[in-house]
Amino acid sequence: MCISFHPVYSQSEESVEKSIESVTRQAELMLSIKYATDERHMEQLVILLEQKIDLPKEYWKKILVLVHDTGHRGVRTYLISRFLKQYPFDTNDQDNRKKFVNVVNDEFIYLLDRDHHSDEELVSIRSTLAIVEKLELGELFYPTAAFIAYPLIDIRKLSYKALAKFNDDRMFPLLLQLADSKSPVERTYAVDAFYYIKDDRIIPVLLNLINDRNKTVRYYVIRTLENMEAAAAVPYIIRIVRSDVNPEVRVRAIQMLEKVKPRSGFSALNQAVFDDSSQVREAALNALIAYGNRSSAYYISEQLEKEKKDKLKLLQIQALLRLNSSGKMEGLNKIMRKEKNREIVIWAIYVTGRLKDHKGLDAIIKNLTHDDERVRVESAHALAYIKSRHSISHLIKRLSDEKEKYSVQVAALYALVSIDDSSVIPVLFDLSEEHSNAYLRKQIKQMLRKMLAQRFEK
């Protein structure tokens, strides 16, 4: 006997109701003992269930028993995938939980018995581990733990996250065995698992592994300790910043200090600004900005004098601005006087102006005659912030020069107004009548009125 199956496509409410009734009758018939072991009918059951019809709970119970008894994998994997999205029972219903655990365990037995997994089986592993975590099926501790050293990282993580949900001390002997493995890969797996489990009892194990000869193990240890916010690890992390042979590990240690911000780590970060690795120097800059201590500017300025990487020159200049200090000023002066990259020169001038550091005044004035118009404009803007009388004659020269670019002349005019020295007023009077640029003459007159009005108000 064969059960006929016909999907219903009608959108009418009456047709949908009849479809549900039909599906329910077919499900009940399929779940009878008469057809329980019929492979063909089990395949039809999968097709039936894929219609997403909401069956009564008693049918789901029968399906769980049937699938466990027959061992039909097609229905089993479908159920796990569907229940991952919506579990049809109350999670406190122990009888149905037990039935479902049996089905999930059957799938684990099948998967763990395979030497190699197909793409379809990998999908099943992910679904099975995910539902174990979601429903916290601690009864399946050992099959879940069997995946803690699986080659694919996403599958390992699903196993770690499920074990963390169980809060079962049986996991520690397994992970400690991995941590003590001769294989650096397995030691890394153990540390990665600790990242998700977050139990203070494993901190001594991690502090021992922080000296591991393998750089990847050390890297993962730092990541895990940071996630655990382990204060006891700070001295070890500082030592790594100062002396670890691998730059990637030093960078990861610096990133932990940036997050935790211990006072004891400040000195190590200042020294890391001079590290041979550009990656480490960049990480140290970001960390020092996060610390926000102005004294770091002296170290940053010193490194800026000898920095070879353009990207880091920019970061160091911007760090000085963020810290609101030019440090020793030697770094910015070196850039403003000798740097070939115009963008970097402009940044150095900009920052010196915003910091209002008079020690950079001569270098900025020199750049008023730079061959790049943008540099000259930025120099005039910077002088407007510094407000030094020493720059007045140089700005007047830019404003008066008939060959100078209009943008530079306007910047020079606004700088002179910003300095607001009375000695400028007669010069501006003359230029307001004699300058060849009519529009600029108009602007000069407007600025003169502003300066005179301010004096009248005083």
Side-chain angles (χ1 to χ4, degrees), residues 326-337:
S326 61
K328 302 176 182 179
M329 194 62 210
E330 283 89 340
L332 289 170
N333 273 329
K334 170 79 175 293
I335 295 294
M336 289 190 290
R337 292 181 184 279

Side-chain angles (χ1 to χ4, degrees), residues 104-105 108-109 112 129 138-148 159:
V104 178
N105 189 55
F108 268 135
I109 291 171
L112 291 170
L129 288 172
E139 303 94 320
L140 300 172
F141 171 83
Y142 282 112
T144 302
F147 291 93
I148 60 175
S159 174

Side-chain angles (χ1 to χ4, degrees), residues 70-130:
T70 63
H72 193 277
R73 186 162 183 267
V75 185
R76 186 168 71 224
T77 56
Y78 172 80
L79 288 179
I80 292 171
S81 177
R82 178 162 177 170
F83 286 7
L84 181 58
K85 297 174 183 175
Q86 184 177 7
Y87 186 63
F89 308 108
D90 185 332
T91 52
N92 294 320
D93 185 337
Q94 294 302 314
D95 182 52
N96 287 315
R97 177 188 176 97
K98 185 176 180 180
K99 290 181 173 64
F100 185 58
V101 166
N102 287 337
V103 171
V104 178
N105 189 55
D106 289 343
E107 183 64 9
F108 268 135
I109 291 171
Y110 170 84
L111 294 168
L112 291 170
D113 192 45
R114 316 290 288 177
D115 292 330
H116 301 284
H117 293 117
S118 65
D119 289 344
E120 180 183 346
E121 289 165 345
L122 290 174
V123 171
S124 180
I125 292 174
R126 294 181 180 100
S127 298
T128 305
L129 288 172

Side-chain angles (χ1 to χ4, degrees), residues 215-250:
K215 66 178 184 179
T216 304
V217 175
R218 299 197 303 276
Y219 185 97
Y220 273 81
V221 167
I222 296 168
R223 170 178 172 267
T224 300
L225 288 168
E226 179 186 306
N227 188 47
M228 295 181 68
E229 300 180 352
V234 169
Y236 296 82
I237 300 301
I238 292 172
R239 179 176 54 78
I240 286 176
V241 171
R242 293 185 183 278
S243 61
D244 198 280
V245 296
N246 185 269
E248 292 180 18
V249 176
R250 297 200 299 278

Side-chain angles (χ1 to χ4, degrees), residues 243-366:
S243 61
D244 198 280
V245 296
N246 185 269
E248 292 180 18
V249 176
R250 297 200 299 278
V251 166
R252 194 66 189 83
I254 288 171
Q255 289 169 343
M256 178 173 174
L257 293 182
E258 178 183 350
K259 181 178 180 180
V260 180
K261 297 184 184 62
R263 289 185 180 180
S264 54
F266 185 59
S267 176
L269 291 174
N270 282 330
Q271 291 306 308
V273 168
F274 308 109
D275 198 279
D276 291 338
S277 165
S278 61
Q279 291 176 300
V280 175
R281 296 199 299 277
E282 181 176 350
L285 279 171
N286 291 328
L288 289 172
I289 289 171
Y291 267 72
N293 191 317
R294 292 185 65 190
S295 64
S296 296
Y298 292 95
Y299 301 94
I300 295 170
S301 178
E302 185 177 340
Q303 176 58 29
L304 181 57
E305 280 190 86
K306 53 189 176 183
E307 184 60 63
K308 302 298 182 185
K309 300 280 186 180
D310 282 358
K311 177 185 176 182
L312 285 180
K313 289 177 185 176
L314 282 172
L315 287 175
Q316 288 157 3
I317 292 168
Q318 292 162 7
L320 294 174
L321 180 62
R322 295 281 296 276
L323 294 171
N324 196 30
S325 173
S326 61
K328 302 176 182 179
M329 194 62 210
E330 283 89 340
L332 289 170
N333 273 329
K334 170 79 175 293
I335 295 294
M336 289 190 290
R337 292 181 184 279
K338 297 185 178 181
E339 177 61 44
K340 302 299 182 185
N341 186 315
R342 308 296 172 82
E343 300 298 330
I344 298 175
V345 173
I346 290 171
W347 263 103
I349 294 170
Y350 171 82
V351 170
T352 302
R354 294 309 184 276
L355 296 176
K356 302 177 183 180
D357 197 319
H358 284 248
K359 295 191 295 294
L361 184 62
D362 290 343
I364 293 175
I365 289 174
K366 182 180 179 182

Side-chain angles (χ1 to χ4, degrees), residues 425 448-458:
I425 293 176
L448 268 171
R449 292 191 195 100
K450 180 180 178 181
M451 294 177 71
L452 293 170
Q454 288 174 343
R455 280 158 175 74
F456 180 76
E457 289 171 1
K458 292 177 181 178

